[in-house]
Amino acid sequence: MLILTLLICFALTIAITPLVKRFAYAVGATDKPEDRKVHSKIMPRLGGLAIYIGFITGYLILRPEDQYALPIIIGSGVILLTGMADDIFQLSAKWKFVGQIAAALIVVLGGVKINFINVPFFDTELKFGLLSIPITILWIVGITNAINFIDGLDGLAAGVCTIGLATIGFMAMLKGDIFVMTLAMIVLVSSLGFLYYNFHPAKIFMGDTGSLFLGYIISVLALLGFKNVTMVSLVIPFIILGVPISDTFFAILRRYKNKSPLSAPDKSHLHHCLLRAGFSHKQTVIIIYAMAAMFSLAAIIFSMSTVWGGLILLTILLFAIEWFIESIGLVNSNYQPLIKFVKARTSKK
């Protein structure tokens, strides 16, 4: 039944995306070219609606049972409406944030919280108490916006999310978590169906409707898969979502160093830097896909490692990220602390 449902969701998303495209033009949900963007003509957005229709259809067919099912469905509906409103009416950042907080609060009140973690090397639990609510909301809103930030090239966000969902679904299957696995697979095939129209050259953008929905559902599923576990295991969702998280982190660092508002848009995200380095649109997307796949592989290896093995892998991963970020100038051309340190140590020898 699962395989048949996944095929239905995939086919439905492919079939309905052209209708969503017409609807986007009809309601004025279009994206106009500007200096910060890479497309050169007016494009329909709102494509995330097709992904959501595929997802909700799969959910209604299979109806996977779990105490968190209803809050997730309600919360995803709120985040979808927030994204649609932004795509059509161009909401201010304040109202988008209100919608994100509301969607996150729904699942938190429904019981999705990081209540505690077991600290490695110490036989003790770190309980968050009331802090579990803001910590969980921060995670959901943070990941939602991280996915929104990387949605800058044809097929980029949809592909990266598909890779992340495949990893979350695979690890949920290994753990026997049928609910998380089922939802992850439904969203995955719906994203793939949309990617048929969204890969370069794109015929439609997912818009905030898609990026907010995908970011929201991925953040919640990742949380369900790894909450209330050891501190080391809690790192796994951070690794799986390494591409959007690192891009967002260095965007914040870049704006801090440049004394710019945190909400100020720019053309220095990961995909912008790769384009400036001489890679084509399609090559840039494929490179970032490969990076997302490597993060996912690292997460799977990390989950099977000992505590010490995991810490060593994490250290290597962090050094590799920092070196790559400095090499492409993601913060700015002068930000190279690690490269300068290595060169200084090497020149002394």
Side-chain angles (χ1 to χ4, degrees), residues 130-327:
L130 291 176
L131 287 177
S132 64
I133 294 176
I135 288 173
T136 307
I137 290 175
L138 180 64
W139 164 263
I140 295 172
V141 172
I143 297 302
T144 299
N145 280 287
I147 299 299
N148 187 236
F149 284 159
I150 66 165
D151 185 26
L153 293 180
D154 298 353
L156 182 56
V160 169
C161 288
T162 297
I163 294 168
L165 286 162
T167 311
I168 292 170
F170 175 72
M171 297 183 75
M173 181 184 69
L174 294 180
K175 292 177 61 180
D177 192 334
I178 303 302
F179 177 73
V180 171
M181 182 200 74
T182 301
L183 288 193
M185 292 300 102
I186 291 172
V187 182
L188 184 156
V189 295
S190 300
S191 296
L192 279 177
F194 174 73
L195 195 56
Y196 177 78
Y197 297 96
N198 186 236
F199 195 73
H200 187 68
K203 299 177 179 63
I204 182 173
F205 294 159
M206 68 166 60
D208 275 17
T209 306
S211 60
L212 294 184
F213 167 68
L214 287 176
Y216 177 80
I217 201 74
I218 287 175
S219 67
V220 173
L221 292 179
L223 199 59
L224 285 178
F226 304 102
K227 73 186 186 79
N228 297 341
V229 289
T230 67
M231 186 178 289
V232 173
S233 296
L234 197 60
V235 174
I236 293 173
F238 283 90
I239 300 177
I240 294 173
L241 301 170
V243 168
I245 287 175
S246 58
D247 190 31
T248 302
F249 173 78
F250 284 102
I252 293 172
L253 181 60
R254 177 174 63 249
R255 287 161 191 173
Y256 173 76
K257 289 181 70 68
N258 297 337
K259 297 180 180 179
S260 302
L262 293 181
S263 59
D266 59 29
K267 291 193 70 171
S268 296
H269 284 285
L270 175 59
H271 53 278
H272 293 127
C273 292
L274 290 173
L275 288 171
R276 281 198 296 270
F279 294 102
S280 69
H281 191 127
K282 190 175 292 186
Q283 287 172 335
T284 297
V285 172
I286 291 174
I287 288 171
I288 298 177
Y289 282 179
M291 291 172 61
M294 285 190 289
F295 273 112
S296 290
L297 180 60
I300 293 171
I301 296 172
F302 188 91
S303 69
M304 299 176 179
S305 302
T306 61
V307 171
W308 280 109
L311 291 175
I312 292 170
L313 176 62
L314 183 61
T315 302
I316 294 171
L317 198 60
L318 289 174
F319 270 102
I321 293 170
E322 179 65 24
W323 188 277
F324 179 75
I325 292 310
E326 293 179 18
S327 298

Side-chain angles (χ1 to χ4, degrees), residues 118-132:
N118 295 315
V119 183
F121 309 118
F122 299 93
D123 188 19
T124 185
E125 289 181 352
L126 179 61
K127 296 182 179 180
F128 294 121
L130 291 176
L131 287 177
S132 64

Side-chain angles (χ1 to χ4, degrees), residues 20-70:
V20 171
K21 180 180 175 181
R22 293 182 196 172
F23 178 65
Y25 277 124
V27 297
T30 56
D31 205 346
K32 298 177 182 179
E34 60 179 64
D35 179 62
R36 192 173 60 88
K37 299 177 180 179
V38 297
H39 60 281
S40 57
K41 63 179 182 178
I42 295 177
M43 292 289 294
R45 45 194 182 191
L46 211 69
L49 180 59
I51 300 175
Y52 182 80
I53 291 172
F55 158 73
I56 203 68
T57 299
Y59 173 79
L60 291 174
I61 292 173
L62 293 175
R63 292 188 177 275
E65 295 183 3
D66 191 90
Q67 61 176 318
Y68 305 122
L70 184 58

